[in-house]
Amino acid sequence: MSLEDRVDELVSEIAAVDHEAARQARTRHDSLIKPKGSLGRLEELGIRLAAIAGTCPPPVPQNPAVVVAAGDHGVLAQGVSPWPQEVTAAMVAGFCDGHAAVNALALVAGARVTVLDVGVASDLPSHPRLRRAKVRPGTSDLCVGPAMSRSEAAAAVVAGAGVAQELIGAGVDLLVAGEMGIANTTPAACLIAAFTGRSPEEVTGRGTGIDDATWEVKVKVVRAALEFHRPEVSDPLGVLAAIGGLEHAALVGLILAGAAGRVPIVQDGVSTNAAALVARALAPRVGDYLIAGHRSVEPGASIALQSMGLEPLVDLGMRLGEGTGGLLAVQIVQAAAAALRDMATFEEAGIA
Amino acid sequence: MSLEDRVDELVSEIAAVDHEAARQARTRHDSLIKPKGSLGRLEELGIRLAAIAGTCPPPVPQNPAVVVAAGDHGVLAQGVSPWPQEVTAAMVAGFCDGHAAVNALALVAGARVTVLDVGVASDLPSHPRLRRAKVRPGTSDLCVGPAMSRSEAAAAVVAGAGVAQELIGAGVDLLVAGEMGIANTTPAACLIAAFTGRSPEEVTGRGTGIDDATWEVKVKVVRAALEFHRPEVSDPLGVLAAIGGLEHAALVGLILAGAAGRVPIVQDGVSTNAAALVARALAPRVGDYLIAGHRSVEPGASIALQSMGLEPLVDLGMRLGEGTGGLLAVQIVQAAAAALRDMATFEEAGIA
């Protein structure tokens, strides 16, 4: 089977969420010992979890995992970021050693950390936390040609799906999408512009905190890439290959396999949201399995979430990536499920 | 020592937070392996936790507890709520039995639940989770006279402080304020109007979800109470006695004793925010020990938070109380401390 066929197979494995379970959750919420609707969006989230799990009450996630997909980017040569490419590998080493923000936040969320190398420019030493599935050592410059080939994009999707399947097989019941890759907000902006139709100025943000001059370069690069490739959203894999990143492709696979396994996927920032747009274009049902963990400062993140009808759970002005914003939502997701599972109804409590 | 003297003593035990520890935390954040400022408000929260603890990095809270203070309200007779008074006691039974929203959310937050009866109208059976310190079986109608006497208010403050001291003595390192009391958003609105100078229309919300006619009654009641008592904010205990509730008074004590013990206090909704205003009027330093867990739908909650310079961590359209909104912020508070404790600096990670 070709890599593209394996992507198609993944897509075909995604079932519709269970609207009957959602209906049961909605009815149950109205019977629990509280004023109707008083848990606000926590009720909506519980209903979504019931639909994903296909049962009410939905299980309370006990084994969350964050997957940090990593890759490098040829477009860095255009000057879209002040950080050198070597920082990607250095941060991956930090994730493995447990000294990065994602490790700190995963610890308090009770989440395991898995790092996936699909495209870091340098060779990385093996580590128990690292899945080595390098497709190529970074993309080509998407300004002057495709970032990667279709089969490379498909290979990264399959690698991301493989990690999700491994984790789900090991009992993981909540996936948090994370990423690392110097310059990766540029392909993220390209993807978001392509799939939402918004302008380069609207979707391009300041990433790690670039200055005005660098931002203008970045907008020009995004515009040039879109003009060069003329992305056709009816061919999501083609768009991903032309203007995406290897870690974005891996996250597409993570999202597809998570949905196929009926495991909710908590989104982090702009790169995970860009990947979600690609995944949803491949498999429209995927949208129902996504949870927007937080609202990143990046404007493209809000544009992507809005186009998917997702409202973030946390909004703390963060713009780090790695899965950090998604991890902050883990307890909220658990709470939404626990309310449906643990609360008594007025009838059970003997309150008229 | 009189009860009022004991309140004064509590106030005198509150030290200023440690600005040097805050400065260290700010400096440390700028050295950690991430773009400066990229953890957004999580960085500010970590700095606040360092100031409260008096050390950097601050300890990561491991033993959170939610305290649900409960009381009834004479003002219910004015028709400010459609719920009968008996629901307060029934919900307290639910908290003890573990079947309410606060229990579900406390479980996933890893928080113990302690219920404090300072003013429920009926006798309550003993229960391991229940602290029985009833000052009186509900307040008087604050529309036509003081809700309680000064010494009763002081007694409830002391009872709330006692529970905080008991919990801190048992190792609790993060307090979440919660409450239950049918009609208690009316005294909360009165207190917020008194301490912020805002109008009854602005501070009065729909509580459990009242209709327009009931809301108009509630606004009239708040206005009548303010006109009758002419609260003098230079006498916070007097204001509390005149237009507050017994559970609000207990939460004032919880907040004062938490601050005295250098334990952060996570606020929940409008009643906890009203109590915080009273506590801060008694002891201005208290404000630095408070963390706004969430933004309640109640308009008075946002007005109170704004006047204290607090920005909520979570905003999910909730309006239940019990401490539920505050509990959703526990993992975020832990994450803020963990980032300062666990992350490496660029120097440690060998990244130039």
Side-chain angles (χ1 to χ4, degrees):
Chain A
M1 194 186 286
S2 78
L3 288 162
E4 281 200 50
D5 287 345
R6 286 172 67 188
V7 174
D8 289 342
E9 191 183 46
L10 264 172
V11 167
S12 72
E13 286 167 3
I14 300 170
V17 296
D18 186 335
H19 297 292
E20 171 57 20
R23 196 195 57 74
Q24 287 172 17
R26 197 170 287 115
T27 303
R28 179 162 169 78
H29 253 307
D30 286 346
S31 73
L32 299 177
I33 50 170
K34 59 177 173 57
K36 273 189 196 178
S38 59
L39 284 176
R41 289 184 46 219
L42 206 65
E43 299 190 14
E44 295 168 29
L45 179 56
I47 292 163
R48 175 171 282 245
L49 293 171
I52 293 171
T55 182
C56 175
V60 178
Q62 302 291 340
N63 288 302
V66 58
V67 176
V68 190
D72 277 309
H73 300 272
V75 74
L76 179 61
Q78 300 287 341
V80 293
S81 170
W83 299 76
Q85 189 170 70
E86 293 69 35
V87 171
T88 303
M91 289 305 302
V92 166
F95 306 150
C96 290
D97 293 345
H99 299 317
V102 64
N103 305 98
L105 272 55
L107 185 75
V108 301
R112 71 184 84 182
V113 178
T114 300
V115 188
L116 171 62
D117 172 18
V118 277
V120 179
S122 56
D123 282 340
L124 300 177
S126 71
H127 188 283
R129 272 200 188 122
L130 180 64
R131 300 293 172 273
R132 298 200 291 180
K134 202 190 302 285
V135 174
R136 51 181 281 180
T139 54
S140 298
D141 183 350
L142 53 79
C143 246
V144 296
M148 60 193 125
S149 70
R150 289 178 72 93
S151 67
E152 286 165 343
V157 171
V158 169
V163 171
Q165 287 159 344
E166 172 205 331
L167 291 169
I168 294 169
V172 164
D173 48 13
L174 186 68
L175 286 166
V176 179
E179 45 57 50
M180 175 71 213
I182 293 298
N184 76 4
T185 59
T186 297
C190 290
L191 291 169
I192 292 168
F195 284 98
T196 66
R198 301 286 283 267
S199 73
E201 287 82 0
E202 288 174 294
V203 298
T204 303
R206 291 175 184 269
T208 52
I210 56 176
D211 59 19
D212 287 354
T214 311
W215 181 79
E216 280 168 25
V217 168
K218 198 168 160 184
V219 170
K220 270 187 205 164
V221 164
V222 173
R223 182 178 301 111
L226 294 168
E227 284 173 2
F228 181 91
H229 294 288
R230 306 252 159 219
E232 267 300 334
V233 297
S234 57
D235 174 23
L237 194 68
V239 176
L240 180 63
I243 56 173
L246 290 148
E247 69 272 44
H248 302 95
L251 292 175
V252 170
L254 181 89
I255 291 166
L256 294 175
R262 299 196 84 104
V263 168
I265 306 107
V266 181
Q267 293 289 298
D268 185 35
V270 69
S271 282
T272 67
N273 293 327
L277 285 173
V278 179
R280 207 181 57 140
L282 286 164
R285 287 171 170 174
V286 147
D288 294 331
Y289 291 90
L290 299 176
I291 294 167
H294 86 133
R295 183 186 301 284
S296 157
V297 168
E298 284 286 298
S302 289
I303 289 170
L305 289 176
Q306 191 187 21
S307 85
M308 293 187 282
L310 297 174
E311 188 69 29
L313 295 172
V314 173
D315 185 355
L316 295 176
M318 289 165 59
R319 52 182 168 82
L320 177 55
E322 301 180 7
T324 51
L327 283 166
L328 290 185
V330 167
Q331 189 203 318
I332 296 173
V333 174
Q334 292 169 323
L340 280 167
R341 182 192 66 182
D342 297 346
M343 288 178 70
T345 62
F346 279 107
E347 194 178 340
E348 288 162 355
I351 304 176
Chain B
M1 194 185 285
S2 78
L3 289 163
E4 281 200 50
D5 287 344
R6 286 173 66 188
V7 174
D8 289 342
E9 191 183 47
L10 264 173
V11 167
S12 72
E13 286 167 2
I14 300 170
V17 295
D18 187 335
H19 297 293
E20 171 56 22
R23 196 194 57 75
Q24 288 172 17
R26 196 170 289 115
T27 303
R28 180 164 168 76
H29 252 307
D30 285 346
S31 73
L32 299 177
I33 49 169
K34 59 177 174 54
K36 274 188 196 180
S38 60
L39 285 176
R41 289 185 47 218
L42 206 64
E43 298 191 14
E44 295 167 30
L45 179 57
I47 292 163
R48 175 170 279 246
L49 293 171
I52 293 171
T55 183
C56 175
V60 178
Q62 302 291 341
N63 287 302
V66 57
V67 175
V68 190
D72 278 309
H73 298 272
V75 73
L76 179 61
Q78 299 288 342
V80 293
S81 169
W83 299 75
Q85 189 170 70
E86 293 68 37
V87 171
T88 304
M91 289 306 300
V92 166
F95 306 150
C96 290
D97 291 345
H99 298 318
V102 65
N103 306 98
L105 271 55
L107 185 74
V108 300
R112 71 184 85 181
V113 179
T114 300
V115 188
L116 170 61
D117 171 18
V118 276
V120 179
S122 56
D123 283 339
L124 301 176
S126 70
H127 188 281
R129 275 201 187 122
L130 180 65
R131 300 293 171 275
R132 297 200 291 181
K134 202 191 302 287
V135 175
R136 51 181 281 180
T139 54
S140 297
D141 183 349
L142 53 81
C143 248
V144 296
M148 60 193 124
S149 70
R150 288 179 74 90
S151 68
E152 285 165 345
V157 171
V158 170
V163 171
Q165 288 159 344
E166 172 205 330
L167 291 170
I168 293 169
V172 165
D173 49 13
L174 186 69
L175 287 165
V176 179
E179 45 57 51
M180 176 70 212
I182 293 301
N184 74 5
T185 60
T186 297
C190 290
L191 291 170
I192 292 168
F195 284 98
T196 67
R198 302 286 283 267
S199 72
E201 287 81 0
E202 288 175 293
V203 299
T204 303
R206 290 174 184 270
T208 51
I210 57 177
D211 59 18
D212 288 352
T214 310
W215 181 79
E216 281 168 25
V217 168
K218 198 168 161 184
V219 170
K220 271 187 205 166
V221 164
V222 173
R223 182 178 300 112
L226 294 168
E227 284 173 1
F228 182 89
H229 294 286
R230 304 253 160 220
E232 267 300 335
V233 295
S234 58
D235 175 23
L237 195 68
V239 176
L240 181 62
I243 57 174
L246 290 148
E247 70 272 41
H248 302 94
L251 292 175
V252 170
L254 181 89
I255 292 167
L256 294 176
R262 299 195 85 105
V263 168
I265 306 106
V266 181
Q267 294 288 298
D268 185 37
V270 70
S271 282
T272 69
N273 292 327
L277 285 173
V278 179
R280 208 182 57 140
L282 285 164
R285 288 171 169 173
V286 147
D288 294 331
Y289 291 90
L290 299 176
I291 293 166
H294 86 134
R295 184 186 300 285
S296 155
V297 169
E298 283 285 298
S302 289
I303 289 170
L305 290 175
Q306 191 187 20
S307 84
M308 294 187 281
L310 297 173
E311 189 68 30
L313 295 171
V314 173
D315 185 355
L316 295 177
M318 289 166 58
R319 53 181 167 82
L320 176 55
E322 301 180 7
T324 50
L327 283 166
L328 290 185
V330 166
Q331 190 204 317
I332 297 173
V333 174
Q334 292 169 325
L340 279 167
R341 183 192 65 182
D342 296 346
M343 288 178 69
T345 63
F346 279 106
E347 195 179 339
E348 288 164 353
I351 304 177

